[in-house]
Amino acid sequence: MATPKKGQGIAFKIPDQAAEPPVTPEAPSTAKPGNPRTGVGMLSRMISGAQADTEAVTKLNAEIEKLKLQVGEQLIDPRQIALTRWADRHPDSFSSQAFLELKQEIESAGGNVQPIKVRPIRGAGADHVDGPRFELVYGSRRTRACLELGLPVRAVVDENIDDQSLYVQMQRENRGRANLSAWEQGVSYHKALNEGLFPSARRLAEQIGLDHSNVAKALRVAELPQEIVGAFRSPVDIQFRWAVALDKAYQQDPDAVLSAARLLAGRSPKPAAAEVFRSLTESVSAKGKPKAKDATRTFAISDGKKGVIRAGKGGAVTVELPRGILSPARWAAFETALQKLLSELPEAP
């Protein structure tokens, strides 16, 4: 006889508890709208969610744009922006392929994504309607593109920027985009030096973050006679690496180089830039008549700087002074001193 296990045969009964009816299978319940069971339902939910996310992102972007405008950016009519007197873009820069591509990009975006920078013109308030209200710091190509497209230009307005800072920011920003040609840079550097923004070319180079030799080359290009510059189709075609050779050829025999330049300028169409450079520099060696050693005389001025007295064709004499020695404001005093000096010089034996 088997021994019963503990608990076997024991039953529990809860008093006054009605017997529960047997459980019968129920029909499958309809899925809740928030929990789709089918692939089509899940896909519809995903699409609906993506659309909602897109709308939310669009709204957030719009809010960000509003906030940007509130913290310094403005939408300005480009007709209210004047170029600074140190503007360094040659008109040919606005007909290049690079500018046309920039203009197309701005048109497709509905405006310039990267803002320009301007500063208010003194005395030109919001009610000023007779002229520009702002002076451009940087962004001349974006401003020009918006002007031609009839779009407002996005701009940061800086009310506390002085002339030197304006120039430095303009130069540095240009290098981060479409850099200026050698001629454009040289002309710009000359303006800055002549107006006293910087005491020397070396100091200018330090402030704008360039090697002094590059600044010197650009200045050499800008100092070329107009006849040489005019031999090229455009001044922006003159390259940095040609600066020294062109200047050297001109200093060695200006008559030969200027004669070749005039012939090139008269050709239609003008030859390519490389051919112009070759013709100008080879004109000296082709003539084969170097200048006499006693045709020039160098003299010391101060701080290691030197001047040159040069005898030209027909007996004309020119005195060449280094850059920065004689500002336009001192020309009258220089002329008076020179007249006095010449009158006191003894006659040659």
Side-chain angles (χ1 to χ4, degrees):
M1 182 177 178
T3 304
K5 297 180 179 180
K6 290 182 178 181
Q8 187 174 355
I10 299 174
F12 294 90
K13 182 177 180 181
I14 301 175
D16 302 324
Q17 180 72 29
E20 293 184 1
V23 178
T24 58
E26 294 181 357
S29 60
T30 303
K32 296 181 180 179
N35 300 302
R37 297 287 183 90
T38 66
V40 174
M42 293 178 67
L43 181 60
S44 298
R45 180 178 176 82
M46 290 174 62
I47 293 174
S48 176
Q51 289 175 342
D53 290 342
T54 301
E55 292 175 359
V57 170
T58 301
K59 291 179 179 179
L60 285 174
N61 284 335
E63 291 299 321
I64 290 172
E65 294 303 314
K66 289 180 181 178
L67 289 173
K68 281 184 178 180
L69 293 176
Q70 292 173 5
V71 297
E73 291 186 10
Q74 298 182 24
L75 293 177
I76 299 174
D77 185 339
R79 293 173 297 181
Q80 294 185 329
I81 301 174
L83 295 178
T84 178
R85 62 181 180 277
W86 300 292
D88 45 19
R89 292 284 181 191
H90 188 272
D92 290 348
S93 298
F94 300 109
S95 59
S96 66
Q97 183 61 33
F99 174 73
L100 295 178
E101 291 174 358
L102 173 67
K103 184 177 174 181
Q104 290 175 355
E105 179 183 340
I106 289 176
E107 183 177 23
S108 64
N112 57 308
V113 176
Q114 294 296 327
I116 65 168
K117 179 178 277 193
V118 297
R119 69 177 179 181
I121 295 176
R122 290 182 179 179
D127 56 347
H128 188 73
V129 294
D130 295 332
R133 293 175 51 208
F134 302 96
E135 178 184 0
L136 186 67
V137 176
Y138 58 69
S140 57
R141 296 195 314 145
R142 281 163 282 172
T143 303
R144 177 67 172 267
C146 288
L147 177 65
E148 294 182 1
L149 293 169
L151 296 172
V153 60
R154 182 184 297 275
V156 173
V157 180
D158 190 339
E159 299 182 357
N160 302 303
I161 182 170
D162 58 25
D163 290 346
Q164 188 181 93
S165 297
L166 182 153
Y167 186 85
V168 170
Q169 290 187 28
M170 177 183 68
Q171 288 293 326
R172 289 181 175 271
E173 208 271 348
N174 279 336
R175 291 204 303 277
R177 299 187 180 277
N179 202 6
L180 301 171
S181 67
W183 188 86
E184 288 173 315
Q185 289 188 42
V187 170
S188 175
Y189 300 158
H190 260 298
K191 287 181 181 178
L193 291 171
N194 289 339
E195 296 195 16
L197 281 184
F198 305 93
S200 66
R202 186 173 297 278
R203 181 61 177 164
L204 184 153
E206 293 173 356
Q207 289 293 308
I208 64 176
L210 278 184
D211 187 89
H212 176 256
S213 62
N214 290 336
V215 172
K217 287 179 182 178
L219 288 169
R220 271 182 143 174
V221 172
E223 291 167 354
L224 291 171
Q226 183 55 44
E227 291 93 331
I228 295 178
V229 176
F232 292 86
R233 294 177 182 174
S234 171
V236 300
D237 292 337
I238 304 175
Q239 300 184 22
F240 274 101
R241 58 193 178 95
W242 297 344
V244 175
L246 286 170
D247 183 59
K248 185 177 180 181
Y250 174 69
Q251 296 298 333
Q252 183 177 343
D253 196 335
D255 293 336
V257 175
L258 293 179
S259 177
R262 295 186 190 104
L263 290 174
L264 291 165
R267 291 174 57 177
S268 182
K270 289 182 180 179
E275 183 180 344
V276 173
F277 167 73
R278 185 170 56 252
S279 298
L280 292 175
T281 52
E282 290 178 351
S283 62
V284 175
S285 57
K287 188 174 181 180
K289 188 178 180 181
K291 299 179 75 66
K293 291 184 178 179
D294 59 354
T296 61
R297 184 182 181 89
T298 302
F299 59 96
I301 300 177
S302 63
D303 298 331
K305 296 181 179 180
K306 296 180 180 180
V308 178
I309 301 175
R310 190 184 306 279
K313 188 175 180 180
V317 178
T318 59
V319 178
E320 298 178 5
L321 302 177
R323 188 182 309 109
I325 287 293
L326 188 64
S327 65
R330 301 175 62 192
W331 285 1
F334 176 75
E335 181 182 351
T336 301
L338 186 60
Q339 289 173 345
K340 180 180 179 182
L341 175 63
L342 290 174
S343 66
E344 296 176 349
L345 286 176
E347 293 292 335

